[in-house]
Amino acid sequence: MADQPQAQEFDVLVLGGGSAGYAAALRSVQHGLTVGLIERSKLGGTCLHTGCIPTKAYLHAAELADEARSSEKYGVKTTFEGIDMAKVREYKDGIVAGKHKGLSGLLKMRKVTVIEGEGRLVSQNEIEVDGTRYSGRNIVLATGSTSKTMGLPIGERIITSTEALELDHTPASAIVLGGGVIGCEFASAWTSYGTDVTIIEGLPSLVPNEDPSIIKNLERSFKKRGITFNTGTFFKDVEDTGDGVKVTLEDGKTFEAEICLVAVGRGPVTEGFGFEDQGITLDRGFVITDERLHTGVGNIYAVGDIVPGLQLAHRGYQQGIFVAEEIVGNNPVVVEDINIPKVTFCEPEIMSVGYTQPKAEEEFGKENVEITEYNLAGNGKSSILGTGGIIKMVGVKGGPIVGVHGIGTRIGEQIGEAQLIVNWEAYPEDVATLVHAHPTQNEALGEAAMALFGHPLHG
């Protein structure tokens, strides 16, 4: 029997080319390490091809549709004639193709060796790809996530977000199972396109992980937009009736529509990669690591959506960078999930970072928490945009601001300063004395900080 050829060796071998995997690869080569990046589909992963980027392109088209409808209020005469979904899809595909080409070129320029094919972990330092073995002194698992289907038959009328992005028409009506981020974003876009939308959420409210003030504001805004939602009861069954769908809830209530979007979250993609065979611990499919993202096996790390916690592209991206820094011994700072910024790009947009009021009261004691809510009705730029909403700050008495939350048109753009405030543990007086440009929505953060400091300028 012939000797097996020597496996090609890298300092870092990454399994998965999504946000987490390619970030680990790029930062590793910046440190002078050799990197092999294994990807079975397309570089950029879910975020670029079926997640963040394409959905936000659809939401931008939705924003334009809403502006066309309301333009006469601003003295601009336009006519809204409808949505050409083929054209929207073409616009979306163009954005995705451009970003994919840019990412592929960047990895090539940085001398990352991209290995196409299905990878499987076959030892603590080897991954086999279509019969060829590659060795890594360090291995980073970044195999990502996929839409949960709850066992429902995905097809023409019962779809996930992946199929929703490929629709060639605007559905007349849609039921959205799940009132979280994905569900609310699609419900918002479809409503703007002219679809009659009903959201089914088993928990007591939409976007249940947000601050109660934000939830209240969103639900009021969605009602005003004509979005129907049923909360507090889980669905029991979804039936394809041949010309539509019928959803039955556990309490017997039924809803019918043209299509049903299953938006009940995303699950880790870890099956069939040989992780458990090498002693890696899985829990409900997630890879269990320590706080420094080490699996406890060899020099194997895990990053992104396969690690329990927030399933966000920028969390994966940060974790990829973190692991590269960890490998070279730079002892990077751990960013806890609570301090990772989040944006829901529905209309109105939601931004949040840090503790909600209930979580802060649980962590620091109700008597030690103070809050302020600044109404965007007092903000000049928000009035110009025609949006309501709030900025809410949560602080520890005599201490830092531990949570910043907001809702309103385009308010997601303010998450940058919000996450700096929370992550740098700024006190209200620190932010209150900073100058916020006028007229911007950004001023609302300054106003909220002044109010939390006890010296509001307006209101």
Side-chain angles (χ1 to χ4, degrees), residues 356-367:
T356 59
Q357 183 179 348
K359 290 287 185 186
E361 289 174 351
E362 190 181 303
E363 179 73 16
F364 305 106
K366 193 169 184 176
E367 70 285 358

Side-chain angles (χ1 to χ4, degrees), residues 232-244:
T233 307
F234 288 92
F235 80 91
K236 182 181 180 183
D237 184 46
V238 181
E239 179 189 353
D240 184 335
T241 60
D243 58 356

Side-chain angles (χ1 to χ4, degrees), residues 135-213:
S135 172
R137 293 186 183 90
N138 301 275
I139 285 179
V140 181
L141 308 177
T143 45
S145 63
T146 189
S147 297
K148 288 181 182 175
T149 63
M150 307 295 282
L152 295 171
I154 303 304
E156 187 182 340
R157 296 180 186 87
I158 303 172
I159 60 177
T160 70
S161 57
T162 301
E163 292 77 32
L165 288 166
E166 298 305 315
L167 287 177
D168 58 4
H169 68 288
T170 304
S173 58
I175 294 168
V176 177
L177 294 183
V181 174
I182 297 169
C184 283
E185 287 186 349
F186 271 98
S188 182
W190 278 339
T191 297
S192 298
Y193 293 171
T195 302
D196 182 11
V197 178
T198 300
I199 303 172
I200 306 297
E201 171 54 60
L203 295 175
S205 73
L206 300 181
V207 290
N209 293 324
E210 299 294 343
D211 186 272
S213 300

Side-chain angles (χ1 to χ4, degrees), residues 345-419:
F345 292 89
C346 52
E347 174 53 40
E349 285 184 356
I350 297 169
M351 67 142 181
S352 61
V353 59
Y355 289 91
T356 59
Q357 183 179 348
K359 290 287 185 186
E361 289 174 351
E362 190 181 303
E363 179 73 16
F364 305 106
K366 193 169 184 176
E367 70 285 358
N368 297 318
V369 171
E370 52 189 7
I371 62 131
T372 188
E373 290 185 18
Y374 176 76
N375 196 313
L376 292 184
N379 176 261
K381 186 60 182 284
S382 295
S383 295
I384 290 165
L385 293 173
T387 186
I390 60 169
I391 296 290
K392 179 171 182 176
M393 282 190 180
V394 181
V396 176
K397 285 180 182 173
I401 298 165
V402 296
V404 180
H405 312 273
I407 184 167
T409 298
R410 300 187 190 173
I411 210 66
E413 298 299 327
Q414 304 311 316
I415 194 64
E417 183 179 351
Q419 69 102 8

Side-chain angles (χ1 to χ4, degrees), residues 141-145 268-270 275 285-288 302-308 311:
L141 308 177
T143 45
S145 63
V269 176
T270 53
F275 294 169
F286 289 99
V287 176
I288 303 305
V303 292
D305 287 359
I306 61 172
V307 179
Q311 291 179 314

